[in-house]
Amino acid sequence: MPEPATPRSPASPPPGDATRLLRAALHEVSTVIVGQDHMVERTLIALIAQGHCLLEGVPGVAKTLAVSTLATVTGGTFTRIQFTPDLVPSDIVGTRIYHPSTEQFDVELGPVFANFVLADEINRAPAKVQSSLLEVMAERQVSLGGTTHPLPDPFIVIATQNPVESEGVYPLPEAQRDRFLMKVVVPHPRAHEEMEILRRMSTRPPRPQRVLDPLTLKELQADAEAVQVHQLIADYVVRVIMATREPESYGLPELRRVIDVGASPRATLGLVAAARALALIRGRDYVLPDDVRLLARDVISHRLILTFDALADGITTDQVVDRILAAVPPPRVIWDEPAGPDAATATR
């Protein structure tokens, strides 16, 4: 439950080592990945917030390279699973194999048993494979033959999907999309970034150095959980999410014909967790309304289901989230209020 705490003044010192380590990790990843700062930062936020991340972009925009580089920088184990239409659940989570010599079944654990699991082109696998990931993503464990096997800690699933191909792909089930903390759209690089990619990669590609380790990652996750969330910030998050379900109650009656299904409670929890991680990266031990607004698209958009009329009109979920953010007022932060019986609170 969010803690009612007053934000500190901007002059207060930052949390310190946690922020320094996170910024060092981002800098090390940027020595390899050019121009995708948004994707890299959001992926690190998902890791620190103990969530999962869905990357959507055309081929060749460094989605896979970014994930493998982040795994190297953070010192975690990494596996890449290429999703195909003929994939079966045992190819992912593992299976039991009978050995006639011992007359016993042995468990062969699948590739999901790693700190970083890259589900490449996740929308190419059928529904039964997607459902096999639900327990992995939600419970961080795998059940085989009546035995539960916990996954490594920390653990994150980062999936990629190609938005321009329609042949041989399957839409992700709504229940699985909801398991992803964030969905990040990865664009093409700009001209000057393309030139830098050519300069770095055409000769000897740079190799990232390890900055963190799994134990330090767990400590950073604990630091993020300790970031303070004022009660009014929590109220703002709830109002934004509720506006996706009851838009007419928040002055948005026109969205009733646009939104078929609003965001789930996972969006509320995820938006707070992601805002805490972003605040830690920014050097604060408290969340600001801007943290919530910056992450709202990434956390909410993929959870919304629009009506057929909205899709026919070309309305996107990002446009819906932007409309909600414009209509739902955030709390106003005031620093250094004078002390006294009539003094206002630090956040209104």
Side-chain angles (χ1 to χ4, degrees), residues 167-181:
E167 184 176 351
V169 298
Y170 303 82
L172 291 184
E174 288 80 3
Q176 186 171 17
R177 291 208 309 265
D178 196 40
R179 294 308 201 279
F180 285 102
L181 173 65

Side-chain angles (χ1 to χ4, degrees), residues 36-241:
Q36 298 292 359
D37 296 339
H38 178 82
M39 172 185 64
V40 173
E41 184 183 62
R42 295 304 188 265
T43 307
L44 183 61
I45 288 173
L47 175 62
I48 299 304
Q50 303 181 55
H52 308 289
C53 191
L54 177 63
L55 306 178
E56 182 178 272
V58 297
V61 291
K63 300 186 297 294
T64 301
L65 180 61
V67 178
S68 62
T69 303
L70 183 61
T72 300
V73 169
T74 55
T77 55
F78 171 78
T79 58
R80 176 176 180 260
I81 306 173
Q82 185 66 49
F83 278 58
T84 56
D86 61 346
L87 208 64
V88 295
S90 60
D91 294 331
I92 298 174
V93 299
T95 187
R96 299 174 70 208
I97 299 177
Y98 180 74
H99 292 278
S101 58
T102 61
E103 297 183 350
Q104 292 180 342
F105 284 94
D106 289 340
V107 174
E108 294 289 338
L109 300 179
V112 295
F113 285 85
N115 297 118
F116 287 79
V117 176
L118 174 62
D120 212 357
E121 295 188 316
I122 190 173
N123 54 336
R124 286 192 175 277
K128 62 181 180 180
V129 176
Q130 306 294 353
S131 62
S132 69
L133 282 179
L134 292 181
E135 182 186 18
V136 171
M137 297 174 66
E139 306 297 335
R140 300 172 187 264
Q141 64 183 26
V142 170
S143 299
L144 293 172
T147 303
T148 299
H149 303 272
L151 292 164
D153 189 18
F155 173 76
I156 182 173
V157 173
I158 303 176
T160 68
Q161 65 177 7
N162 183 351
V164 298
E165 288 191 46
S166 57
E167 184 176 351
V169 298
Y170 303 82
L172 291 184
E174 288 80 3
Q176 186 171 17
R177 291 208 309 265
D178 196 40
R179 294 308 201 279
F180 285 102
L181 173 65
M182 290 189 289
K183 175 186 173 183
V184 181
V185 177
V186 187
H188 276 122
R190 289 168 288 186
H192 68 281
E193 296 167 346
E194 194 90 11
M195 181 62 71
E196 181 62 19
I197 292 172
L198 181 62
R199 185 189 70 81
R200 290 190 195 181
M201 299 298 180
S202 60
T203 54
R204 181 176 297 178
R207 294 180 178 273
Q209 301 298 315
R210 177 173 171 177
V211 175
L212 306 174
D213 57 72
L215 182 59
T216 305
L217 268 179
K218 292 183 64 177
E219 293 173 352
L220 292 173
Q221 290 174 342
D223 289 338
E225 289 180 337
V227 171
Q228 299 174 9
V229 180
H230 193 279
Q231 186 62 38
L232 292 181
I233 301 291
D235 175 71
Y236 177 53
V237 172
V238 170
R239 285 188 287 120
V240 168
I241 300 301

Side-chain angles (χ1 to χ4, degrees), residues 233 236 284 287-294 330-333 347:
I233 301 291
Y236 177 53
R284 287 180 273 104
V287 173
L288 290 176
D290 283 348
D291 299 327
V292 176
R293 297 174 66 85
L294 283 173
R332 187 160 55 99
V333 178
T347 308

Side-chain angles (χ1 to χ4, degrees), residues 310-321:
L311 296 174
D313 293 340
I315 298 175
T316 66
T317 54
D318 283 348
Q319 291 172 337
V320 173
V321 174

Side-chain angles (χ1 to χ4, degrees), residues 219-338:
E219 293 173 352
L220 292 173
Q221 290 174 342
D223 289 338
E225 289 180 337
V227 171
Q228 299 174 9
V229 180
H230 193 279
Q231 186 62 38
L232 292 181
I233 301 291
D235 175 71
Y236 177 53
V237 172
V238 170
R239 285 188 287 120
V240 168
I241 300 301
M242 290 302 297
T244 68
R245 304 179 204 165
E246 304 170 4
E248 61 278 359
S249 300
Y250 295 86
L252 297 166
E254 70 276 10
L255 293 186
R256 173 47 62 194
R257 57 170 292 273
V258 173
I259 303 174
D260 188 19
V261 180
S264 72
R266 283 197 187 96
T268 307
L269 297 172
L271 190 51
V272 170
R276 279 176 158 146
L278 178 60
L280 190 64
I281 292 175
R282 296 286 195 266
R284 287 180 273 104
D285 61 359
Y286 54 89
V287 173
L288 290 176
D290 283 348
D291 299 327
V292 176
R293 297 174 66 85
L294 283 173
L295 294 166
R297 268 194 182 192
D298 303 308
V299 175
I300 300 175
S301 293
H302 64 287
R303 305 175 194 269
L304 299 180
I305 302 177
L306 303 185
T307 62
F308 288 112
D309 290 341
L311 296 174
D313 293 340
I315 298 175
T316 66
T317 54
D318 283 348
Q319 291 172 337
V320 173
V321 174
D322 290 344
R323 180 71 184 91
I324 291 173
L325 292 177
V328 178
R332 187 160 55 99
V333 178
I334 302 175
W335 303 106
D336 298 326
E337 281 290 334

